[in-house]
Amino acid sequence: MSERLVCKPTPWFLVRAAAMLLMFGIFAAMFYKDGTRGYREKNYVYFLSVAFKQARTHFKESEDGSSPEAWRDHAAKQTVPLPADRSVLPPETPASMPWPAELQDFEKMKAANSAEETKLFNDFRAEKGLDAEVPDEPYDSQKIFEQWVVFWICLALTFTTLFVLIRIWPRKIAIDGEALYPAEGGRVPFADLIRLDLRKWDNKGLAFAWAKKPDGSERKIRIDGFVYGGFKKEQGEPAEKLIQRLRANFQGELMELVAADEEPAPATGRDLSPKGPADGGTDNP
């Protein structure tokens, strides 16, 4: 009896599946944050920045004849220009928000008038712990809804990748001197194999075998060399060894690509050459 050859999931597959799981998970978290609070907090900061710009303009227009008392009276009557659609703002945002105290302070406004335009607002943000970036324009409800749509897509991809990873991780393909042991489980004696398709093996590392079941139906077996075993020469090309051993013990119908300048291999056992429509067969079993 030949030594049992076992092809486990390759690091090539596991690393890439883990990377995809991490990527989709991070994207899902980012879009969830933007959909729940991220965009709303950015809108909040945006409308506050508009209020600071308005205050600067008002102060410049009234500075020559304005006194601290007059400015405080004027500023106390002003409100932050919030949008009518409250759903685009954090839920704790008040319905009417007066200008912040910094904008009602005559001395601060006077100092800010001669400083960089955004200095007073940046100082206010730092003091209040407002970390959200100021967008070029506010996000409407449609933009926020889009974040939720992409979140659900990324979440679905995350769980799909996790399912595939958990499903593949414990599996393996094995072969010995009597049978093939597919990744899906079970034992398939060589005598039960009726067809072997190697047409995608050289290019994609994919092979398919069909085995006869006791009830007369057929079982299709997928052999993915890049997922199970691999083709690294330093590891002895386990997937290639498995296919070569399977082919050596196979006596059914073999389908493989034949170069135009090569002579077809002589038939052994049943028909070993691929059939096409011209000679009564089909390209796909």
Side-chain angles (χ1 to χ4, degrees):
M1 180 181 295
S2 300
E3 179 184 358
R4 183 182 177 94
L5 174 64
V6 178
C7 291
K8 298 180 180 181
T10 62
W12 177 90
F13 167 78
L14 296 177
V15 170
R16 282 157 180 76
M20 291 177 63
L21 179 64
L22 180 63
M23 177 184 68
F24 290 136
I26 291 175
F27 284 164
M30 292 173 59
F31 284 109
Y32 176 80
K33 178 182 177 182
D34 285 341
T36 52
R37 291 196 62 89
Y39 273 19
R40 290 175 172 84
E41 289 176 353
K42 289 180 179 180
N43 281 343
Y44 177 76
V45 173
Y46 172 84
F47 289 110
L48 276 175
S49 70
V50 172
F52 274 75
K53 291 178 181 178
Q54 288 180 343
R56 185 182 177 92
T57 301
H58 289 194
F59 190 82
K60 284 183 176 180
E61 292 175 349
S62 61
E63 185 178 13
D64 293 338
S66 177
S67 65
E69 294 77 14
W71 174 252
R72 282 195 298 269
D73 290 342
H74 171 77
K77 299 175 183 178
Q78 308 304 312
T79 58
V80 178
L82 299 176
D85 184 2
R86 313 300 294 180
S87 68
V88 301
L89 295 170
E92 65 273 14
T93 305
S96 179
M97 183 187 301
W99 276 2
E102 285 78 0
L103 299 183
Q104 301 181 38
D105 190 315
F106 181 84
E107 296 301 327
K108 285 187 177 181
M109 290 299 301
K110 187 174 182 179
N113 194 39
S114 58
E116 184 181 352
E117 181 178 359
T118 59
K119 183 180 185 306
L120 184 60
F121 178 60
N122 289 336
D123 292 343
F124 170 79
R125 289 180 60 195
E127 181 181 345
K128 300 298 182 181
L130 299 175
D131 298 327
E133 296 180 358
V134 182
D136 295 332
E137 57 184 22
Y139 300 102
D140 57 20
S141 57
Q142 178 63 31
K143 287 291 184 181
I144 296 176
F145 175 74
E146 289 171 2
Q147 305 311 298
W148 281 107
V149 172
V150 180
F151 159 72
W152 286 112
I153 293 174
C154 290
L155 188 64
L157 291 173
T158 299
F159 280 109
T160 300
T161 305
L162 180 61
F163 171 77
V164 172
L165 185 59
I166 294 175
R167 181 169 176 262
I168 296 296
W169 192 304
R171 291 186 171 189
K172 58 189 176 182
I173 301 176
I175 193 170
D176 57 24
E178 298 179 351
L180 174 69
Y181 302 84
E184 296 79 9
R187 179 179 183 273
V188 182
F190 295 138
D192 290 347
L193 294 172
I194 57 178
R195 286 192 302 280
L196 180 60
D197 187 351
L198 301 179
R199 290 174 294 181
K200 296 182 179 180
W201 184 253
D202 290 339
N203 293 328
K204 298 182 178 180
L206 281 175
F208 300 93
W210 285 262
K212 185 180 296 183
K213 292 183 179 180
D215 61 2
S217 61
E218 295 182 1
R219 174 186 179 181
K220 186 177 181 180
I221 302 168
R222 175 188 174 98
I223 303 173
D224 191 331
F226 285 108
V227 175
Y228 298 99
F231 298 92
K232 288 190 175 182
K233 294 185 181 297
E234 59 268 25
Q235 296 176 354
E237 298 181 295
E240 185 63 33
K241 283 185 177 180
L242 184 142
I243 284 296
Q244 293 302 327
R245 186 179 295 186
L246 176 62
R247 183 174 178 179
N249 290 277
F250 178 71
Q251 296 297 322
E253 177 186 352
L254 177 66
M255 291 173 284
E256 59 182 345
L257 294 176
V258 178
D261 57 348
E262 292 182 8
E263 292 292 333
T268 59
R270 295 176 62 185
D271 186 4
L272 300 185
S273 59
K275 291 183 177 182
D279 42 339
T282 60
D283 288 333
N284 296 308

